[in-house]
Amino acid sequence: MSRVYNFSAGPAVLPEEVLKEAAEEMLDYKGTGMSVMEMSHRSKAFQDIIDEAEQDIRDLMNIPDNYKVLFLQGGASQQFAMIPMNLKKNGVADYIVTGQWAKKAYQEAGKYIKANKVASSEDKTFSYIPDCSDLPISEDADYVYICENNTIYGTKYKTLPNTKGKVLVSDVSSCFLSEPIDVSKYGIVYGGVQKNVGPAGLVISIIREDLIPTEELPEVPTMLQFKTHADAGSLYNTPNTYAIYICGKVFKWLKKQGGLEAMKARNEEKAKILYDFLDESKLFKGTVAKEDRSLMNVPFVTGDKDLDAKFVAEATAAGLVNLKGHRTVGGMRASIYNAMPIEGVKALVEFMKDFEAKNA
């Protein structure tokens, strides 16, 4: 069976080159006589892997020296609790709710602190990003929280919110490394890697050092303290060694592609092909306000549930897989992450044209 074009939102497509390299090293990593899967996280070979991965992501993102890079477990969802637990000084934080994951983060934070919803786009099924230029930011807010790219709803912040001097925390899971960002504008920027960077089971958190508590927090579980992992260089306990290894390979692949400026240009080109077709189509339509469209996740509908289901089934048979939309939106969604080749997007648009001709 040949490879399909995988439009899954996550776990998602990875660069073929990376998968082939990993396959070649599966039984013997660099003459160690074993797989990285079998290797002690305390070994020199693995220490080199994690050190190199950290250096490469620092290079790619121009991460300032006063930020720690932590390779953590528990996915982005565990950060929903970890962030309020570790950043709690006044016990207040402001949340901008632009999708399901921001909403879940807001609800989770409410268990530990006073979480304020200062803006939301839930009134229109999260199909836009609210104006964040002058929000009622709480004077005593420990931080302001956003989810920068909304995987389910296909929206993306084009301008960061005006936090009025408060620390900005951003979940970038589904736009991680898809374009350059200025890390210094954030207190914490983190992402689950299973969408745009690597295999599931790892979250990378980039944290400004002054936000990491200097003393142990007696009421917070040891494993949920930033300090625990920062002090131990992400090796306090056995980390997700294989995911770190694959992410390291993806970082090298990204460097080889020309870095994040090159990826942004490529991602804009891919997204334009799909959005241009949706804007002209009589059958398919996008569900997101044009100015807030994501480059990574593109939801669309025909307006007819049965036709949507027929489209997904026929696309799957044609080797265009995982196009079914999230259950909260319905319709279809094409996730076109870094590793999705432009040929995949072109093949999808050709298929959509053909489907429209037969079903309009």
Side-chain angles (χ1 to χ4, degrees), residues 67-334:
Y67 282 73
K68 290 273 192 207
V69 176
L70 303 183
F71 297 93
L72 306 170
Q73 294 172 74
S77 296
Q78 187 149 290
Q79 294 305 301
F80 299 168
M82 239 173 140
I83 285 161
M85 284 175 167
N86 284 268
L87 297 195
K88 179 179 175 180
K89 286 192 172 70
N90 300 321
V92 177
D94 290 348
Y95 280 70
I96 302 169
V97 177
T98 52
Q100 188 162 312
W101 301 112
K103 187 178 180 178
K104 285 188 171 176
Y106 160 72
Q107 289 167 335
E108 185 72 6
K111 296 177 182 178
Y112 310 103
I113 58 170
K114 181 175 184 281
N116 302 310
K117 191 194 292 184
V118 291
S120 171
S121 53
E122 197 162 6
D123 60 331
K124 292 184 182 166
T125 327
F126 299 123
S127 59
Y128 70 102
I129 299 287
D131 178 359
C132 298
S133 58
D134 186 19
L135 296 172
I137 302 294
S138 311
E139 275 185 31
D140 54 351
D142 293 322
Y143 60 90
V144 176
Y145 183 101
I146 62 171
C147 179
E148 203 159 318
N149 186 87
N150 296 289
T151 323
I152 295 172
Y153 303 96
T155 57
K156 164 83 164 69
Y157 285 78
K158 302 293 159 73
T159 310
L160 292 176
N162 173 7
T163 64
K164 301 183 179 174
K166 303 297 179 191
V167 169
L168 178 63
V169 174
S170 179
D171 172 357
V172 296
S173 294
S174 52
C175 60
F176 210 0
L177 298 173
S178 64
E179 57 182 59
I181 64 167
D182 179 354
V183 175
S184 68
K185 289 184 174 170
Y186 305 82
I188 299 180
V189 57
Y190 78 90
V193 303
Q194 73 277 10
K195 299 171 184 299
N196 212 22
V197 189
L202 178 69
V203 59
I204 298 175
S205 194
I206 300 158
I207 309 176
R208 207 174 67 214
E209 284 176 351
D210 63 293
L211 297 174
I212 299 171
T214 51
E215 301 295 319
E216 207 167 302
L217 304 170
E219 72 287 3
V220 177
T222 304
M223 281 296 289
L224 297 185
Q225 300 196 32
F226 289 152
K227 183 181 179 354
T228 301
H229 302 286
D231 288 354
S234 301
L235 294 167
Y236 172 76
N237 67 323
T238 310
N240 189 332
T241 52
Y242 201 76
I244 293 167
Y245 156 74
I246 297 288
C247 286
K249 287 202 175 298
V250 172
F251 301 154
K252 292 224 180 298
W253 178 80
L254 287 167
K255 280 182 156 181
K256 210 161 117 184
Q257 306 308 305
L260 302 191
E261 286 289 353
M263 291 318 295
K264 183 185 186 190
R266 187 189 297 188
N267 289 326
E268 285 173 341
E269 186 187 358
K270 288 189 303 193
K272 187 179 188 309
I273 292 167
L274 186 46
Y275 285 125
D276 283 354
F277 171 71
L278 288 171
D279 289 342
E280 289 161 16
S281 173
K282 302 272 190 291
L283 179 63
F284 298 100
K285 59 177 190 293
T287 58
V288 171
K290 277 189 183 180
E291 64 276 13
D292 299 323
R293 284 170 165 176
S294 166
L295 294 179
M296 297 283 100
N297 311 98
V298 185
F300 55 95
V301 294
T302 63
D304 176 334
K305 279 184 180 167
D306 294 337
L307 205 52
D308 287 351
K310 184 183 182 196
F311 175 83
V312 170
E314 290 183 9
T316 303
L320 304 162
V321 306
N322 293 317
L323 282 162
K324 190 173 192 283
H326 191 273
R327 61 185 179 278
T328 58
V329 186
M332 285 70 69
R333 169 182 50 178

Side-chain angles (χ1 to χ4, degrees), residues 1-3 14-29 242 245-246 249-250 253 256:
M1 161 124 192
S2 62
R3 299 262 302 160
L14 284 166
E16 211 163 291
E17 205 176 299
V18 166
L19 297 174
K20 283 177 177 163
E21 256 182 48
E24 280 164 22
E25 294 174 345
M26 180 55 83
L27 295 176
D28 178 12
Y29 175 74
Y242 201 76
Y245 156 74
I246 297 288
K249 287 202 175 298
V250 172
W253 178 80
K256 210 161 117 184

